[in-house]
């Protein structure tokens, strides 16, 4: 077989007049000299499935719903798989209670119905006034950073069911 030149423009490398299999190996080995370096691929960590258990608070439920929607979007879960994955988020005791209360499997139910059933069993309802008194009595701990305290305040305020109304007051003449 005749000598073969490197196919990369500007490269002067030419093989000797050898067997085709040897020329192929030589060109392949030579091509590694043109590579910019070892190619490393970053390994993306798998997203963890959120977990929900019984006797949780409204604040914990809001956090779970936020994590659940992020998980579904990231993992691109659709259709019936959503319900299966949602049920896998429940701890074993909650899942048993769900199955008992539903009278069997929940995999054929719509996602919103399963979410409502989970919330009913997983979240213990709190009295709004108790939550508001708790919010009123909250104080920043001695070594607690301001950002952590603000996060605790916002979480408790979310439980209090406060609403902001923006309406113009019109006076009668």
């Amino acid at each position: 077989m005749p000598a073969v030149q490197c196919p990369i423009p500007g490269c002067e490398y030419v093989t000797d007049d050898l067997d085709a299999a040897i020329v192929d190996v030589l060109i392949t080995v030579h091509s590694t000299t043109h590579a910019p370096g070892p190619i490393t691929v970053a390994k993306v960590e798998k997203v963890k499935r959120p977990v929900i258990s019984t006797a949780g608070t409204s604040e914990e439920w809001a956090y779970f719903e936020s994590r659940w929607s992020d998980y579904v979007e990231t993992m691109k879960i659709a259709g019936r798989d959503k319900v299966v994955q949602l049920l896998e988020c429940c701890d074993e005791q909650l899942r048993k209670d769900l199955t008992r209360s539903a009278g069997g499997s929940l995999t054929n139910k719509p996602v919103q119905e399963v979410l409502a059933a989970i919330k009913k069993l997983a979240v213990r309802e709190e009295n709004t006034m108790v939550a508001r008194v708790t919010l009123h009595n909250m104080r920043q701990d001695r070594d607690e950073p301001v950002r952590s305290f603000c996060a605790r305040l916002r979480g408790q305020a979310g439980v209090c069911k406060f609403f902001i109304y923006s309406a113009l007051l019109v006076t009668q003449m």
Side-chain angles (χ1 to χ4, degrees), residues 58 126-138 152-166:
S58 299
E126 302 160 346
N127 186 323
T128 306
M129 283 309 295
V130 172
R132 290 179 181 183
V133 168
T134 303
L135 177 67
H136 178 72
N137 292 330
M138 287 179 78
R152 278 195 312 125
L153 281 174
R154 285 190 185 107
Q156 186 64 34
V159 176
C160 293
K161 299 178 184 172
F162 283 123
F163 296 98
I164 299 174
Y165 292 103
S166 61

